[in-house]
Amino acid sequence: MPPFECLWQHLKHKSGHSLLRDPQYNKGLAFTEKERDCHYLRGILPPTVLSQELQEKKILQNLRQHHVSLHKYIDLMDLQERNEALFFKVLIDNVEELLPIVYTPTVGEACQKYGSIFRRPQGLYISLKEKGRVREVLKNWPHKGIQVIVVTDGERILGLGDLGCQGMGIPVGKLALYTALGGVRPSACLPITIDVGTNNEKLLNDEFYIGLKQKRATGKEYSDLLHEFMTAVKQTYGEKVLIQFEDFGNHNAFELLGKYRNTHLAFNDDIQGTASVVLAGVIAALKLIGGTLAEQKFVFLGAGEAGTGIAELIALEMSKQLNTSLDETRKKIWLVDSKGLIVSSRMESLQDFKKPWAHKHEPAKNLLEAVKAIRPTILIGASGVGKTFTKEVIEAMSSFNEKPLILALSNPTSQSECTAEEAYTHSKGRAIFASGSPFDNFEYHGQVFVPGQSNNAYIFPGFGLGLVMCGATRVHDDMLLAASEALASEVTQENFNKGLIYPPITNIRQISAHIAAKVAAKAYELGLATLKPRPENLVAYAESCMYSPVYRPLR
């Protein structure tokens, strides 16, 4: 059935108050005179008719009166629940200002306080109570043409730990960005939280906590529920629905990705999305620091999902460039965890996902010792622990690099390994710096430095759009490499002149279209795309697929 025919069939059952309460169709005071007569809105609305542009101006004026970011977040979520098109127009037109509100760092605080600020459900909650009935729960969702699911179990929300059911803020926020930045239709997006309990004592004792008040299920009980969920998703929505795993604990994240990446269209944004955006930054940064990728030496602080995921993708890109084995290129990358440098003498005590990074070297008990011993050109933080790139670490990096590349990736801002000010000050203005959460511009000795943000939002919306628009059936690592190369190519000389290794986020929809095109092209090349024939111009096709938040006339 054509989209407008669907719209008409749906609207036949809506009028007056019910239409105003449906965020998919509500326009507020922008309903025309004709629409007010046709849909029994005459008298229910005040007589004035506003343009969407004037509505947007009013929303922004109200938002900017708030001095607390969480209050802005609450207002934006209320708007999304009230008027979907206006919410996305405001977000798209003001992405640089509002991205830190709907995404990191504010979404972290929102998750911590989700029980207190909870208004109405956004997304599906699938708990242990629904075991054996997951497919039935999926069918309760009002929209049927789902293309993208973001799912979490809330165990490792950003750098904030186990927030249980309150982690729902992450799938909601990510999917808002899938639409605003990647153009995936809102009705095709489904946020899901798998509630298996929480080990957070504070939440278990909180009378306003909205999830199961029990310790986390583990082992067979956990894996059985997740398997039922993955099976039910495929049965309900088909094999071309994209499932993005988000903020699972390390042990489950690697296991779930390994188990389902060959049977579902699935990827883990913490492992693979983060890796792709960081690799893009590193590729772009080579024009500033000099040398090839293979000539760089890396030290990572953090050997969890993000750290090992980034390291693996960098090693894969190196191996393709050099036409050599992954084992060989991994030797250029060193990881530091809570026990120090990961070396071969620790092999027996290491978790499996850390073992590929255990190289022969003398032990180093902390990051500073590791940096002095390895002498890396690039330092990457994915530890989730703030203030770990100390003055001594940054000074050491600067002592043997003219332009050290320092990436402090942990979120939210409080967990960043260092601030932009610290990176620039302790390197005497020589560092090339980017972070996971945003930092303000910083002036040092008369020079203004513009810190970049290594934000997953650069990659996953365009990546997802590319998969969806070509009907991909699996995610392949080469697609992630293609996305990285596409993003790196968007950095201009003007950006480089400011020390930036990422393009301005204000161009994100254009960037997403180019990433989507490269990802789709790779899917066709690998035989993983089902949309036939292949569109001649994939960039133009991506742009034509993107949702636009303009009000449509209602019959």
Side-chain angles (χ1 to χ4, degrees):
M1 186 181 291
F4 282 106
E5 187 61 30
C6 291
L7 180 68
W8 172 239
Q9 291 294 331
H10 188 73
L11 283 176
K12 284 199 297 186
H13 305 288
K14 287 187 175 291
S15 61
H17 273 293
S18 63
L19 189 58
L20 292 173
R21 289 170 180 164
D22 188 330
Q24 193 173 0
Y25 303 110
N26 181 29
K27 303 181 186 181
L29 291 177
F31 280 110
T32 65
E33 299 286 0
K34 185 177 179 181
E35 288 169 339
R36 295 178 188 213
D37 287 331
C38 288
H39 297 287
Y40 306 99
L41 292 167
R42 182 69 62 185
I44 292 176
L45 290 170
T48 192
V49 176
L50 298 183
S51 67
Q52 194 177 23
E53 289 69 28
L54 197 55
Q55 287 180 308
E56 178 181 7
K57 182 179 179 181
K58 179 183 176 184
I59 292 293
L60 287 169
Q61 185 173 297
N62 290 338
L63 280 175
R64 288 164 181 163
Q65 288 177 355
H66 290 304
H67 300 294
V68 177
S69 294
L70 184 62
H71 295 165
K72 294 182 181 182
Y73 174 90
I74 293 169
D75 271 11
L76 282 169
M77 292 304 102
D78 284 345
L79 176 61
Q80 186 179 14
E81 286 296 300
R82 189 170 72 247
N83 185 330
E84 186 176 88
L86 184 56
F87 167 78
F88 283 112
K89 180 165 176 54
V90 170
L91 182 52
I92 290 167
D93 291 349
N94 304 275
V95 64
E96 191 169 21
E97 177 182 352
L98 298 180
L99 186 59
I101 305 299
V102 298
Y103 193 47
T104 182
T106 309
V107 72
E109 183 184 1
C111 287
Q112 289 177 307
K113 299 174 179 176
Y114 210 74
S116 299
I117 66 175
F118 181 82
R119 300 287 195 274
R120 59 180 109 178
Q122 295 174 294
L124 279 177
Y125 296 84
I126 298 174
S127 74
L128 290 168
K129 290 182 178 180
E130 283 72 57
K131 194 173 184 303
R133 303 171 59 193
V134 172
R135 194 173 181 195
E136 181 185 329
V137 173
L138 290 176
K139 289 180 177 178
N140 288 340
W141 188 247
H143 305 297
K144 305 308 175 189
I146 300 301
Q147 294 178 314
V148 182
I149 290 171
V150 176
V151 59
T152 187
D153 71 352
E155 186 172 8
R156 194 200 60 81
I157 298 298
L158 303 175
L160 302 172
D162 185 351
L163 297 183
C165 193
Q166 296 188 171
M168 178 59 97
I170 297 296
V172 169
K174 289 272 183 170
L175 285 167
L177 299 186
Y178 260 110
T179 297
L181 313 188
V184 179
R185 288 180 297 106
S187 60
C189 298
L190 175 53
I192 295 179
T193 290
I194 306 286
D195 186 358
V196 295
T198 178
N199 293 335
N200 186 324
E201 290 292 339
K202 185 177 178 181
L203 292 179
L204 290 173
N205 295 318
D206 183 353
E207 62 179 329
F208 298 120
Y209 179 56
I210 61 175
L212 290 178
K213 290 194 174 183
Q214 65 173 65
K215 293 287 187 181
R216 279 191 170 271
T218 57
K220 189 174 184 299
E221 186 179 17
Y222 178 90
S223 60
D224 283 354
L225 181 63
L226 266 294
H227 187 68
E228 182 186 351
F229 166 72
M230 295 298 289
T231 303
V233 164
K234 200 169 181 179
Q235 289 172 340
T236 306
Y237 302 118
E239 70 170 352
K240 290 181 285 187
V241 63
L242 173 60
I243 303 167
Q244 177 174 314
F245 295 116
E246 194 71 36
D247 287 355
F248 284 77
N250 284 340
H251 49 298
N252 289 324
F254 288 105
E255 185 176 323
L256 289 169
L257 184 60
K259 185 174 182 178
Y260 295 110
R261 68 184 303 171
N262 295 320
T263 60
H264 292 67
L265 182 65
F267 86 110
N268 184 302
D269 190 48
D270 304 301
I271 299 172
Q272 296 164 291
T274 300
S276 186
V277 76
V278 174
L279 175 58
V282 170
I283 292 171
L286 295 177
K287 293 187 178 179
L288 294 172
I289 65 176
T292 66
L293 184 64
E295 290 171 336
Q296 308 307 315
K297 199 180 287 185
F298 296 80
V299 164
F300 283 74
L301 178 62
E305 294 172 58
T308 56
I310 299 164
E312 186 72 4
L313 200 65
I314 291 172
L316 181 61
E317 177 72 2
M318 276 192 209
S319 72
K320 287 186 177 293
Q321 289 183 8
L322 297 174
N323 195 26
T324 188
S325 70
L326 260 177
D327 287 341
E328 197 60 34
T329 54
R330 284 176 181 143
K331 292 175 183 176
K332 296 177 179 293
I333 302 172
W334 299 80
L335 273 61
V336 176
D337 64 8
S338 59
K339 295 179 174 61
L341 187 65
I342 294 178
V343 292
S344 54
S345 60
R346 293 177 51 191
M347 187 69 80
E348 288 187 10
S349 64
L350 292 173
Q351 295 163 285
D352 286 344
F353 61 86
K354 294 182 182 181
K355 288 180 179 179
W357 310 102
H359 311 315
K360 288 185 178 179
H361 198 281
E362 290 299 309
K365 63 185 178 183
N366 57 44
L367 177 63
L368 182 59
E369 282 189 15
V371 166
K372 288 180 175 179
I374 304 300
R375 298 173 68 87
T377 56
I378 299 172
L379 177 64
I380 298 177
S383 63
V385 182
K387 303 298 181 184
T388 41
F389 288 178
T390 61
K391 179 175 183 285
E392 292 76 18
V393 167
I394 297 169
E395 286 178 342
M397 282 292 297
S398 305
S399 69
F400 40 77
N401 292 294
E402 180 59 32
K403 291 185 176 181
L405 178 57
I406 297 174
L407 304 178
L409 303 177
S410 294
N411 291 314
T413 310
S414 59
Q415 306 304 114
S416 184
E417 285 78 10
C418 69
T419 65
E421 179 179 348
E422 289 163 347
Y424 294 128
T425 301
H426 301 323
S427 69
K428 294 182 169 55
R430 290 191 283 118
I432 307 300
F433 175 79
S435 56
S437 289
F439 284 102
D440 293 333
N441 293 354
F442 176 69
E443 185 175 342
Y444 179 79
H445 288 193
Q447 183 177 355
V448 176
F449 291 90
V450 183
Q453 189 179 359
S454 182
N455 194 323
N456 286 25
Y458 276 115
I459 288 287
F460 72 81
F463 187 77
L465 175 64
L467 295 171
V468 167
M469 76 183 201
C470 73
T473 55
R474 298 290 180 271
V475 172
H476 192 282
D477 284 340
D478 284 357
M479 298 175 183
L480 294 162
L481 296 179
S484 297
E485 290 161 5
L487 177 57
S489 70
E490 294 289 324
V491 187
T492 65
Q493 188 58 50
E494 183 183 354
N495 303 145
F496 286 129
N497 292 342
K498 296 177 181 177
L500 290 170
I501 56 174
Y502 293 100
I505 199 75
T506 47
N507 300 337
I508 187 62
R509 276 171 75 96
Q510 177 189 340
I511 294 166
S512 291
H514 282 87
I515 290 173
K518 293 293 187 182
V519 169
K522 186 59 69 173
Y524 279 107
E525 182 185 321
L526 296 168
L528 295 173
T530 61
L531 177 71
K532 303 291 170 65
R534 169 180 166 156
E536 286 187 22
N537 187 329
L538 285 169
V539 174
Y541 182 66
E543 290 171 344
S544 74
C545 291
M546 296 176 96
Y547 164 82
S548 178
V550 296
Y551 289 143
R552 291 190 175 92
L554 305 184
R555 295 197 311 203

